[in-house]
């Protein structure tokens, strides 16, 4: 379940090994010119993620989706990615997580100085990468507490730490429910089974809080949430932000960015990041739409 992009749901659904050819095809550089948009910095010591000229296709159809994405994320930063439907936002997130439906055809991704593209999804998760999904799947027969305990212990094994037994883990996870405004009996419910949209999103953030991921990818966590639920989710995300971890959020709406303040906002178009700036970009998009950027 917890894959280093730390969404244990992905691991349970995709526990088989991903062929090397799917994870990374020949890595021939895209023949199309990429638009390089780098966030400013004078130091490389605090780099967490560095994406250069990343290109990818749908594995089955070979349809190009990413066409030269460039992005630099440092510790303690919050990045938001916006763009029209079909611009490549969710594909970018899934490629970083190691989703088998996509094949990398060019570029490179370094995560904490390591070649992310050579890591299996489970390795990415245990290395501290987490991804929350737009529509988390239900896992009948698996309780939240068992699921979280399994994922948390996988992370501890990676770090060379002793695993926590059920009683110890309960003491660790119970206080974190307050962060996402959930009651204690939530832990005994099956993962996402019969959950409302808001409960599913809260559950994703609870996973993030428990696992202590260093790089979190949040794919439209605001989708389908009312104002109260959005505030709860945003408060939880803000509560786990430190100078050592970073967040990449995908969203269509300014309202999320008013609760979770971004360091940078990036606009994707046709598989590339074409503009980077501050929250002013989101305000322009809210008033004028993407024609103002294009």
């Amino acid at each position: 379940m917890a894959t280093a992009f730390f969404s244990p749901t992905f691991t349970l659904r995709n526990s088989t090994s991903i062929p090397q050819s799917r994870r990374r095809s020949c890595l021939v550089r895209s023949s199309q010119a990429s638009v390089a948009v780098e966030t400013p910095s004078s130091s490389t010591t605090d780099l967490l993620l560095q994406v250069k000229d990343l290109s990818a296709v749908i594995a089955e159809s070979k349809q190009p989706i990413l066409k030269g994405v460039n992005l630099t994320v440092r510790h303690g930063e919050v990045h938001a990615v916006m763009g029209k439907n079909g611009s490549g936002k969710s594909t970018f997130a899934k490629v970083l997580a190691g989703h088998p439906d996509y094949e990398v055809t060019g570029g490179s991704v370094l995560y904490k100085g390591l070649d992310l593209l050579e890591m299996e999804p489970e390795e990415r998760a245990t290395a501290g990468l987490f991804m929350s999904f737009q529509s988390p799947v239900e896992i009948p027969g698996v309780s939240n507490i068992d699921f979280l305990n399994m994922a948390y212990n996988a992370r501890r094994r990676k770090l060379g730490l002793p695993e926590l037994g059920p009683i110890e883990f309960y003491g660790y996870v119970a206080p974190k429910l307050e962060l996402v405004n959930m009651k204690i009996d939530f832990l005994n419910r099956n993962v996402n089974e019969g959950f409302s949209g808001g409960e599913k999103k809260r559950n994703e953030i609870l996973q993030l809080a428990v696992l202590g991921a260093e790089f979190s990818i949040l794919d439209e966590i605001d989708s389908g949430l009312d104002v109260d639920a959005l505030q709860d989710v945003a408060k939880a995300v803000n509560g786990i932000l430190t100078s050592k971890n970073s967040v990449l959020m995908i969203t269509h709406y300014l309202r999320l960015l008013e609760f979770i303040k971004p360091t940078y906002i990036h606009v994707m178009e046709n598989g590339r990041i074409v503009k980077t700036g501050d929250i002013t970009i989101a305000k322009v998009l809210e008033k004028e739409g993407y024609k103002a950027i294009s």
Side-chain angles (χ1 to χ4, degrees), residues 11 14-20 22-23 98 100 120-123:
T11 302
N14 301 276
S15 58
T16 56
S17 176
I18 298 174
Q20 178 74 10
R22 273 196 147 185
R23 282 190 289 135
E120 298 284 357
E122 292 79 6
E123 294 176 297

Side-chain angles (χ1 to χ4, degrees), residues 78-289:
V78 176
H79 291 245
V81 178
M82 306 183 75
K84 297 178 183 178
N85 290 331
S87 61
K89 304 183 303 298
S90 291
T91 295
F92 179 44
K94 290 176 181 177
V95 167
L96 292 179
H99 200 293
D101 285 353
Y102 301 93
E103 182 179 297
V104 174
T105 55
S108 63
V109 182
L110 291 180
Y111 172 64
K112 297 195 291 188
L114 302 175
D115 186 348
L116 187 73
L117 301 178
E118 288 297 329
M119 300 167 69
E120 298 284 357
E122 292 79 6
E123 294 176 297
R124 302 180 195 200
T126 54
L129 200 103
F130 174 97
M131 180 174 172
S132 73
F133 295 94
Q134 290 185 40
S135 302
V137 297
E138 297 182 3
I139 309 177
V142 179
S143 70
N144 267 307
I145 192 165
D146 288 343
F147 169 72
L148 290 168
N149 197 179
M150 176 186 68
Y152 182 68
N153 280 335
R155 171 77 164 146
R156 287 181 68 86
R157 286 195 299 271
K158 175 69 175 179
L159 296 174
L161 299 172
E163 297 183 24
L164 296 187
I167 295 177
E168 292 175 299
F169 182 71
Y170 181 85
Y172 168 74
V173 72
K176 297 187 180 298
L177 290 169
E178 184 178 347
L179 187 67
V180 292
N181 196 23
M182 300 295 284
K183 296 180 179 178
I184 198 73
D185 60 1
F186 174 75
L187 292 174
N188 295 319
R189 296 172 63 185
N190 290 339
V191 179
N192 293 327
E193 191 172 26
F195 285 17
S196 66
E199 287 177 325
K200 287 183 178 180
K201 297 300 174 71
R202 287 187 177 97
N203 196 23
E204 293 277 282
I205 303 306
L206 176 62
Q207 293 171 22
L208 172 56
V210 168
L211 294 168
E214 292 157 273
F215 182 59
S216 307
I217 304 169
L218 309 179
D219 191 0
E220 296 194 29
I221 58 168
D222 51 341
S223 176
L225 298 184
D226 59 32
V227 174
D228 289 340
L230 177 61
Q231 288 180 329
D232 284 343
V233 168
K235 179 182 177 181
V237 172
N238 286 327
I240 60 176
L241 285 174
T242 71
S243 62
K244 295 298 183 182
N245 58 18
S246 301
V247 171
L248 177 68
M249 302 184 296
I250 295 172
T251 184
H252 286 285
Y253 304 110
L254 173 64
R255 65 173 189 165
L256 176 65
L257 306 179
E258 292 176 330
F259 290 118
I260 305 174
K261 304 296 184 182
T263 313
Y264 298 103
I265 294 178
H266 312 278
V267 178
M268 286 197 78
E269 184 177 297
N270 193 28
R272 298 180 178 90
I273 291 176
V274 297
K275 189 174 183 63
T276 292
D278 58 21
I279 198 168
T280 304
I281 290 178
K283 293 178 178 178
V284 170
L285 293 176
E286 183 83 0
K287 291 181 179 180
E288 303 179 38

Side-chain angles (χ1 to χ4, degrees), residues 42-111:
S42 57
S43 171
T44 59
T45 58
D46 60 347
L47 280 179
L48 181 61
L49 183 82
Q50 189 168 43
V51 181
K52 290 187 176 181
D53 298 323
L54 181 64
S55 299
V57 300
I58 297 174
E60 186 173 344
S61 68
K62 306 303 180 185
Q63 177 185 350
I65 304 294
L66 303 183
K67 303 172 184 178
V69 178
N70 292 276
L71 179 69
T72 298
V73 178
R74 292 171 176 81
H75 292 281
E77 292 182 342
V78 176
H79 291 245
V81 178
M82 306 183 75
K84 297 178 183 178
N85 290 331
S87 61
K89 304 183 303 298
S90 291
T91 295
F92 179 44
K94 290 176 181 177
V95 167
L96 292 179
H99 200 293
D101 285 353
Y102 301 93
E103 182 179 297
V104 174
T105 55
S108 63
V109 182
L110 291 180
Y111 172 64

